[in-house]
Amino acid sequence: MITVESLTKSYGGYTAVDHVSFTAAPGRVTGFLGPNGAGKSTTMRIMAGLTEPSSGSAHILGRRFAELPNPGREVGVLLDASAQHAGRTGREVLRINARLMGLPGSRVDEMLDAVGLTEEESLRRVRNYSLGMRQRLGIASALLGDPEVLILDEPANGLDPAGIRWMRDLLRGFADGGGTVLLSSHLLNEIEVVADDIVVIGLGRIVASGTKADLLASAETLVRADDLRGLHAALVGAGLASTPADGALLVSGDAGHIGRIAFAAGIAVTELRAADGARLEEMFLELTASTAREGNAA
C-alpha cells in the first residue's frame, strides 16, 4: 500500500507538487500519468526518500521510506535505469545490492533469469548495455528483495515490443500475487492495458483519479436511425446535446429517454446503446490540455 497525503514540494517560489493525495492499493496496478513538468517524478522521488517534501507525507506500508528497516526488502524502486554504475558488470550490480539487503547470492541468478539477461550479458559492463538491457537490470534490482511494493518510472523505455509485453505480464503477475504497483509511463496504451487504477497529475495537482473503468466510462448514448437529421432536431428540441459520429449520433442522455423522444417524433431507431468508453489517450489529453508544459522536467 502506498498512501500520499497533501504532499507538497516547493523550490523557492515554484511549487512542483501541490497538495497531492492518492493511494495505490495492494493487488492492483496504479498508473501515474501527467504531461512533462506535471510533478510525477518529484512525487516518486519523495516516495523513495530521495527528495524531502515541503509538507505532507508519503507512506509505503505505513511508513516513510527512511523508516523502513530494510527498504529493498519492502519496496522495489526504478526511477532512472541509466543511474547505475557504468564500470560494473550487471552481475556485480545485483551482487552488491543483494549483500546490502542480506540476500543469498543465488537470488542474483534468479533475478537475471527472471528479467531475461543471459550469463554473457550479466558479465558485460553496464556502460556497454543498451537502454533496454539497463531497464531489465533496473527491474531485476527492484525485484531482488522480493518486495511488496514496486515504484517504477518509465520502466518500458528502450524495450522492444516483446520486452514491453514481458513487462506488462510481469507487472500483472506481481499485482495478482498481492503486490502494489505504481507505474509511470508515457506509453498510454500500455497503461490502458495493464492498469487497474489511474491517477492523473497536472501542474503539480491531481486532476483525476479512480478506477480505469470509471474514468474511461462514457456517459453518452449512441443512436442510429434512417432519418438522422430529423432525430437530431428532435433531440436538440428536447434539450439534449447531439453530435454526429460515423453515421450515428452521440447523445448526452439516457437511452430510454432518447428512445421515447424518437418514438414521439415518429422516427424509427435502428441502433440504441451506451457509447463505447473513451480511450485513455483521449481522456489524458482532455484532462491535461491546460496543464501541459512540453519540454519541462516532470
Side-chain angles (χ1 to χ4, degrees):
M1 170 74 82
I2 300 172
T3 306
V4 178
E5 297 180 343
S6 298
L7 194 66
T8 299
K9 179 61 180 179
S10 298
Y11 299 94
Y14 168 63
T15 301
V17 178
D18 190 359
H19 292 87
V20 163
S21 298
F22 66 89
T23 61
R28 301 179 72 80
V29 177
T30 300
F32 191 34
L33 306 177
N36 290 339
K40 300 187 306 297
S41 295
T42 299
T43 300
M44 297 175 95
R45 285 180 59 84
I46 292 173
M47 290 180 191
L50 298 174
T51 298
E52 280 294 316
S54 301
S55 61
S57 63
H59 289 91
I60 299 168
L61 302 173
R63 302 182 182 185
R64 293 187 307 112
F65 188 91
E67 296 169 346
L68 297 172
N70 191 342
R73 301 290 292 269
E74 297 173 82
V75 54
V77 179
L78 175 59
L79 299 185
D80 183 357
S82 296
Q84 301 175 84
H85 197 299
R88 294 196 175 108
T89 67
R91 178 174 289 277
E92 287 170 343
V93 168
L94 293 180
R95 186 180 296 152
I96 291 169
N97 289 341
R99 287 179 180 175
L100 290 172
M101 293 183 221
L103 298 170
S106 60
R107 185 65 179 164
V108 172
D109 291 313
E110 292 174 17
M111 288 300 97
L112 287 169
D113 183 61
V115 302
L117 286 175
T118 67
E119 177 66 16
E120 179 186 353
E121 290 168 339
S122 76
L123 298 176
R124 293 185 199 169
R125 299 195 183 278
V126 173
R127 69 165 59 95
N128 297 319
Y129 276 16
S130 67
L131 178 55
M133 291 172 64
R134 292 187 188 209
Q135 291 286 13
R136 290 178 182 267
L137 180 62
I139 293 164
S141 295
L143 293 172
L144 191 62
D146 193 21
E148 296 180 47
V149 175
L150 288 178
I151 298 174
L152 308 174
D153 192 5
E154 302 286 358
N157 272 359
L159 295 180
D160 59 20
I164 292 173
R165 175 62 182 269
W166 163 80
M167 167 75 66
R168 181 198 309 164
D169 292 344
L170 182 148
L171 297 182
R172 186 69 267 162
F174 185 89
D176 289 346
T180 301
V181 179
L182 182 68
L183 170 66
S184 168
S185 177
H186 68 280
L187 300 176
L188 298 183
N189 60 319
E190 287 304 313
I191 291 285
E192 187 167 0
V193 170
V194 75
D196 302 296
D197 304 307
I198 294 173
V199 176
V200 184
I201 187 171
L203 292 183
R205 295 188 175 189
I206 301 300
V207 296
S209 65
T211 68
K212 178 179 67 179
D214 286 345
L215 290 178
L216 298 185
S218 173
E220 295 183 314
T221 297
L222 183 141
V223 57
R224 295 183 192 275
D226 292 334
D227 184 8
L228 277 183
R229 182 173 297 179
L231 179 58
H232 172 74
L235 292 169
V236 171
L240 296 182
S242 170
T243 57
D246 191 24
L249 297 175
L250 283 177
V251 186
S252 299
D254 173 75
H257 184 41
I258 293 168
R260 287 187 290 272
I261 293 171
F263 180 79
I267 297 172
V269 170
T270 57
E271 184 177 6
L272 181 63
R273 61 175 175 82
D276 295 331
R279 290 186 56 81
L280 179 59
E281 182 179 18
E282 297 167 4
M283 184 206 73
F284 175 81
L285 292 173
E286 180 179 344
L287 288 171
T288 62
S290 64
T291 64
R293 296 185 296 195
E294 189 64 37
N296 290 359

